[in-house]
Amino acid sequence: MHFEACYYQAMEFCIERGIGLFEGGAQGEHKLARGFLPVATRSAHWLRHPRFAEAVEQFLAREARGVDRYIDELNERAPFKAVGA
């Protein structure tokens, strides 16, 4: 029911209106089986406290490397064949 309400109906809406992109949201290996490939997402925030902002920036730099590896791992298990394969 979740995928019907949150994904399939929204995808049908996009197809009917010629919308070329549907973003399925972040996280979830279970989305691979339903045809959603991983895509890196971005967000922008401003943190007033300089030391806190620096700590968050350092954490995000470390986390980004892990997220990149995770996306690569998920892409290796993608349900689609590569073009020319």
Side-chain angles (χ1 to χ4, degrees):
M1 183 60 127
H2 168 74
F3 272 91
E4 177 65 27
C6 297
Y7 296 94
Y8 301 141
Q9 290 294 315
M11 290 167 64
E12 187 173 327
F13 177 90
C14 290
I15 291 167
E16 289 172 352
R17 287 160 179 81
I19 299 170
L21 177 67
F22 174 78
E23 172 56 54
Q27 303 176 343
E29 300 87 5
H30 57 282
K31 293 178 183 172
L32 282 179
R34 291 170 172 87
F36 291 99
L37 299 178
V39 177
T41 59
R42 304 282 186 254
S43 63
H45 305 277
W46 177 75
L47 301 172
R48 181 176 182 183
H49 192 282
R51 289 183 61 204
F52 183 57
E54 182 181 341
V56 170
E57 186 174 336
Q58 290 173 4
F59 168 78
L60 292 176
R62 290 190 309 270
E63 183 188 42
R65 293 187 295 272
V67 168
D68 289 342
R69 286 192 304 271
Y70 183 55
I71 288 174
D72 290 342
E73 179 184 325
L74 291 177
N75 278 322
E76 289 174 8
R77 300 185 315 205
F80 305 110
K81 289 184 179 180
V83 175

